[in-house]
């Protein structure tokens, strides 16, 4: 068969087979990419949010300590917040103190105002009453840091495996391209001979 006949009849069966192999390889690579993306997304929102929730728990502990130091009830604090323009109930204050209710910045500022403490002290340090960070709070924070470090290590290991897989796939694709080019050159040489 001459080149002009081959062109009229379409690609050769060898070419079709090579195209099919490359298409399958391409699909496999796309699947790996999708799986890698799913691995990153598989961490739950809660797990990704956890390092930040520690702040809400610490904030809640401070509010509880300040409230108890003044012998205030949760209901009284809720009434004070209502006077500052925040619709709060005793149950809301309880959730804030447990660190289970998301807190708006304006609410944190109002709470600082109610307790007559600098705004940043609700996050960074003791209020007017000298309070130390308890050993239990430090241990809890250390456990959280250790858990986050283990989680980061696992993500790094997963990423390394993904990179290794892509490197193997890249090399396989480069080999396939080189083989196809070599075969095409050989076909051209045979056609010329």
């Amino acid at each position: 068969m001459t080149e002009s006949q081959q062109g009229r009849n379409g690609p050769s069966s060898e070419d079709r087979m090579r195209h099919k192999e490359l298409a399958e390889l391409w699909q496999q690579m796309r699947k790996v990419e999708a799986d890698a993306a799913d691995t990153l997304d598989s961490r739950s929102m809660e797990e990704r949010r956890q390092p930040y929730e520690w702040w809400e728990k610490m904030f809640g502990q401070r509010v509880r300590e300040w409230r108890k130091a003044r012998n205030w009830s949760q209901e009284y604090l809720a009434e004070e917040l209502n006077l500052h323009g925040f619709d709060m109930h005793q149950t809301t204050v309880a959730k804030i103190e447990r660190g289970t209710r998301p807190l708006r910045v304006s609410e944190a500022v109002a709470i600082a105002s109610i307790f007559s403490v600098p705004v940043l002290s609700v996050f960074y340090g003791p209020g007017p009453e000298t309070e130390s960070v308890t050993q239990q709070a430090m241990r809890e924070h250390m456990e959280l840091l250790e858990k986050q470090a283990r989680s980061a290590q696992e993500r790094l290991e997963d990423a390394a495996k993904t990179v290794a897989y892509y490197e193997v796939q890249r090399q396989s694709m480069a080999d396939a391209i080189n083989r196809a080019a070599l075969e095409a050159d050989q076909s051209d040489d045979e056609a010329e001979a």
Side-chain angles (χ1 to χ4, degrees):
M1 181 184 318
T2 66
E3 274 188 67
S4 60
Q5 288 174 327
Q6 185 178 356
R8 276 184 262 144
N9 294 334
S12 69
S13 61
E14 263 184 43
D15 286 340
R16 284 192 300 268
M17 184 62 92
R18 268 189 260 133
H19 287 291
K20 183 178 178 184
E21 287 173 2
L22 290 174
E24 288 172 356
L25 185 57
W26 184 255
Q27 285 178 333
Q28 288 174 354
M29 289 176 59
R30 298 288 291 176
K31 184 179 181 334
V32 169
E33 289 173 353
D35 290 346
D38 288 346
T39 299
L40 293 176
D41 291 340
S42 67
R43 288 189 334 153
S44 69
M45 292 291 280
E46 181 179 333
E47 190 178 324
R48 288 181 278 173
R49 188 176 56 235
Q50 197 171 26
Y52 309 104
E53 288 180 342
W54 177 84
W55 289 99
E56 287 181 351
K57 291 189 185 311
M58 289 306 296
F59 175 85
Q61 287 176 2
R62 284 197 177 90
V63 169
R64 179 183 299 116
E65 290 168 4
W66 293 341
R67 180 182 57 78
K68 286 185 174 185
R70 289 169 173 76
N71 291 319
W72 292 355
S73 66
Q74 290 176 337
E75 188 171 324
Y76 179 79
L77 181 54
E79 290 171 7
E80 287 293 312
L81 284 161
N82 281 315
L83 291 174
H84 282 77
F86 297 93
D87 187 21
M88 297 268 180
H89 300 278
Q90 174 272 324
T91 55
T92 308
V93 171
K95 289 175 185 177
I96 290 171
E97 289 182 355
R98 283 194 311 271
T100 58
R101 180 191 178 272
L103 194 68
R104 296 186 343 226
V105 173
S106 58
E107 293 169 341
V109 172
I111 289 171
S113 174
I114 290 167
F115 286 112
S116 301
V117 297
V119 174
L120 291 180
S121 70
V122 296
F123 297 107
Y124 290 117
E129 305 82 23
T130 306
E131 64 178 53
S132 62
V133 177
T134 66
Q135 286 184 345
Q136 177 65 27
M138 287 188 284
R139 266 193 298 280
E140 289 173 3
H141 191 210
M142 178 63 88
E143 289 170 6
L144 177 63
L145 291 172
E146 288 170 351
K147 183 177 179 181
Q148 291 303 314
R150 282 191 303 272
S151 177
Q153 179 68 33
E154 290 170 5
R155 287 192 307 275
L156 279 172
E157 289 169 1
D158 288 343
K161 288 175 187 174
T162 301
V163 167
Y165 177 83
Y166 282 128
E167 283 299 317
V168 168
Q169 293 303 316
R170 185 188 61 78
Q171 186 61 48
S172 295
M173 182 60 74
D175 290 345
I177 290 169
N178 288 336
R179 278 193 312 273
L182 182 60
E183 289 173 9
D185 286 346
Q186 288 173 348
S187 294
D188 289 345
D189 289 346
E190 288 172 6
E192 288 176 8

